Amino acid sequence: MTTHPVGSGERASTGRFLASPWTAHSAVVAVVLLTGAATALLAAEAVRGATTLGLFLPGAGVQERVVRTWLTGTALGAVVLLARRRHPLVVLAVLTGLALLSLRVAGVLGVLGLCLAWGLRAVAVRHSTRTAWTAGACALAVVTVAVWSWQDIGLGEVLFWSDEVGAVPGPFARQLTQPEFSAGRRSWTVLLLLVLLLLGGVTGAAVQTRRLHAEDLVERYRAVARERDAGAALARSAERARIAREMHDIVAHSVSVMVALSDGAAAALDRAPDASRQALAELSRTGRDALQDMRSVLGPLHGDGDGGDDVPTSPTETDLAAVVERFRAAGLPLTASGLETPLPHDTALRLAVVRIVTEGLTNVLRHAPGTPSAAVALRRTGSAVEVEVVDAGGTRAGEDEGTRRGLIGMRERAALLGGDVHAGPGDGGGWQVRVVLPTRGNDEEGHP
């Protein structure tokens, strides 16, 4: 039974809750509303201080207008931010318009500067860096011009005028409808807006970088998975091709010999019983060898461990003389030369020689029945082994047209060893197969 640490389920549930988009939306809205409410109180105090200093006319309703506009901008900004993930550029443009309207109506920016920072963060998350910084620069420029033209209560006023509440204006206090222009006080608002937009853009770019990195990791994993699946498919295809080639060699070659042996035994049963018995014995031995070869090929396909890793994956008979004698016993008028030629110890090369000769002689049995002669020649040069199988052509029609799988198998075996196969009509009729297999580093001599 799988056990989990105490509290792991609660932590997982908490993580999923925190990762929910609506949770993030709710958190942003809550921050904006709380910040707007708190700063609205500070703005009201700043207006009262400015009125005490004589910068606003008493009873002009400036305080009510500032607070009302401040809270309205807060509520609208929070609502607009709910759409920042789907339409970040539109949200940033709408927030910029709300900032202009707030400054024009009451001379305050309020928390719309904070909302602009959240909007720019969403743009940086969803769009390119160039798009994000261009949009942020445009918003900053437009709002800066509006602040410079219309702002009455901003960060500077909140910092410097809130503590003037309760002060008694002197006899020389001015009574103005609005504060006079002050580049210093309005610079505080522009500086704060710049810092907020920079923070929004940087954090949004960081989120996008992490997201792109995660997507890149996922894509790399998928690519690795695709390569793994493709490699497995190629391996399965290669294994199927190998098994098909080996089964073709075993079934086509052995069965062709067995059919020829059985026909010969049946024909010689009455007139030459000894030859018939010899053919039947060779038939039995050929069948047993074919059965053993089939077990060798199909053994690794069993998943129950029968045979284990000791079962060879392909037939390994390399006795070329025995192969020639088998075809002679099947009634093929066969001559051979060079069978005593020493071959390298490389089992793959020796097996290829045996299989290619077997394929060539099987084709003679199947496609050139009644041929007056057939020959096998084995030669060894300084850097290659040459094999030649020729026949004089059949006197009867062959069994079938063939699938050419045998010729393909010969070429594949030769290609694996860097060799070549040439097959085609012979100069004097019939068919000729010539194979050249390089020995390269296999110069150590063995026995055929």
Side-chain angles (χ1 to χ4, degrees):
M1 180 184 297
T2 303
T3 59
H4 300 279
V6 177
S8 61
E10 290 80 354
R11 287 195 297 270
S13 298
T14 302
R16 288 192 296 269
F17 175 75
L18 293 176
S20 172
W22 283 109
T23 302
H25 285 318
S26 300
V28 171
V29 169
V31 169
V32 171
L33 293 178
L34 290 175
T35 304
T39 53
L41 296 177
L42 294 176
E45 293 299 315
V47 173
R48 290 175 59 189
T51 303
T52 301
L53 292 174
L55 300 178
F56 288 118
L57 292 175
V62 176
Q63 184 177 10
E64 292 77 6
R65 185 172 66 253
V66 167
V67 172
R68 185 170 56 252
T69 305
W70 197 290
L71 294 178
T72 302
T74 299
L76 292 177
V79 172
V80 171
L81 283 176
L82 293 176
R84 70 188 186 279
R85 292 193 174 181
R86 291 188 177 182
H87 310 287
L89 287 173
V90 175
V91 167
L92 186 63
V94 172
L95 290 173
T96 303
L98 289 176
L100 297 180
L101 184 61
S102 178
L103 287 166
R104 186 68 183 91
V105 170
V108 293
L109 179 62
V111 295
L112 289 172
L114 178 62
C115 295
L116 284 170
W118 280 106
L120 181 59
R121 182 181 185 275
V123 173
V125 169
R126 297 296 176 181
H127 294 276
S128 65
T129 302
R130 175 179 297 180
T131 300
W133 291 121
T134 301
C138 292
L140 177 63
V142 171
V143 176
T144 298
V145 172
V147 166
W148 222 256
S149 302
W150 299 323
Q151 179 177 280
D152 292 331
I153 303 296
L155 179 61
E157 289 76 14
V158 170
L159 292 176
F160 299 130
W161 293 350
S162 297
D163 57 353
E164 298 297 333
V165 177
V168 179
F172 302 103
R174 296 170 295 172
Q175 298 293 322
L176 304 177
T177 58
Q178 62 180 12
E180 295 177 346
F181 172 80
S182 173
R185 293 196 306 270
R186 294 180 179 179
S187 297
W188 283 87
T189 301
V190 174
L191 180 61
L192 177 61
L193 178 62
L194 175 62
V195 171
L196 290 175
L197 290 177
L198 287 176
L199 287 175
V202 169
T203 56
V207 171
Q208 186 192 53
T209 300
R210 289 196 302 270
R211 178 173 59 83
L212 293 177
H213 179 64
E215 291 176 355
D216 182 63
L217 290 179
V218 171
E219 183 58 33
R220 289 185 182 182
Y221 173 78
R222 290 175 178 172
V224 170
R226 287 194 296 268
E227 291 178 2
R228 180 194 60 202
D229 294 341
L234 289 175
R236 289 193 298 270
S237 177
E239 182 65 10
R240 286 195 295 266
R242 183 193 69 82
I243 292 174
R245 183 175 63 246
E246 297 294 348
M247 291 301 297
H248 170 268
D249 291 346
I250 294 168
V251 175
H253 301 168
S254 300
V255 171
S256 295
V257 173
M258 291 168 67
V259 169
L261 288 172
S262 63
D263 290 343
L269 183 61
D270 295 329
R271 58 183 176 81
D274 292 339
S276 178
R277 282 193 293 271
Q278 182 180 359
L280 290 174
E282 185 66 23
L283 174 65
S284 177
R285 187 176 72 83
T286 301
R288 285 194 297 270
D289 290 344
L291 182 61
Q292 182 61 37
D293 286 345
M294 289 178 65
R295 288 174 177 171
S296 298
V297 172
L298 300 178
L301 299 181
H302 294 291
D304 55 1
D306 292 344
D309 295 336
D310 295 333
V311 178
T313 59
S314 62
T316 56
E317 179 188 15
T318 58
D319 190 351
L320 186 58
V323 172
V324 171
E325 289 301 322
R326 185 178 304 169
F327 280 93
R328 283 175 177 164
L332 193 63
L334 181 60
T335 60
S337 62
L339 299 185
E340 71 283 356
T341 301
L343 294 177
H345 284 309
D346 184 3
T347 303
L349 187 145
R350 300 172 74 179
L351 179 61
V353 170
V354 170
R355 284 302 185 195
I356 289 172
V357 170
T358 304
E359 175 65 35
L361 294 178
T362 300
N363 289 338
V364 175
L365 274 180
R366 296 179 61 189
H367 305 302
T371 182
S373 65
V376 174
L378 177 66
R379 294 182 293 273
R380 174 81 181 272
T381 65
S383 60
V385 172
E386 298 180 1
V387 182
E388 195 171 54
V389 179
V390 297
D391 66 81
T395 59
R396 303 190 305 273
E399 297 179 5
D400 51 52
E401 296 181 356
T403 62
R404 303 185 66 84
R405 185 183 294 275
L407 182 59
I408 294 174
M410 283 193 291
R411 286 174 174 164
E412 287 180 350
R413 289 183 184 278
L416 288 175
L417 299 173
D420 296 315
V421 174
H422 301 279
D427 296 336
W431 193 263
Q432 179 183 29
V433 176
R434 183 173 181 273
V435 183
V436 178
L437 301 175
T439 55
R440 287 196 287 266
N442 303 313
D443 291 336
E444 184 180 359
E445 294 183 351
H447 299 286

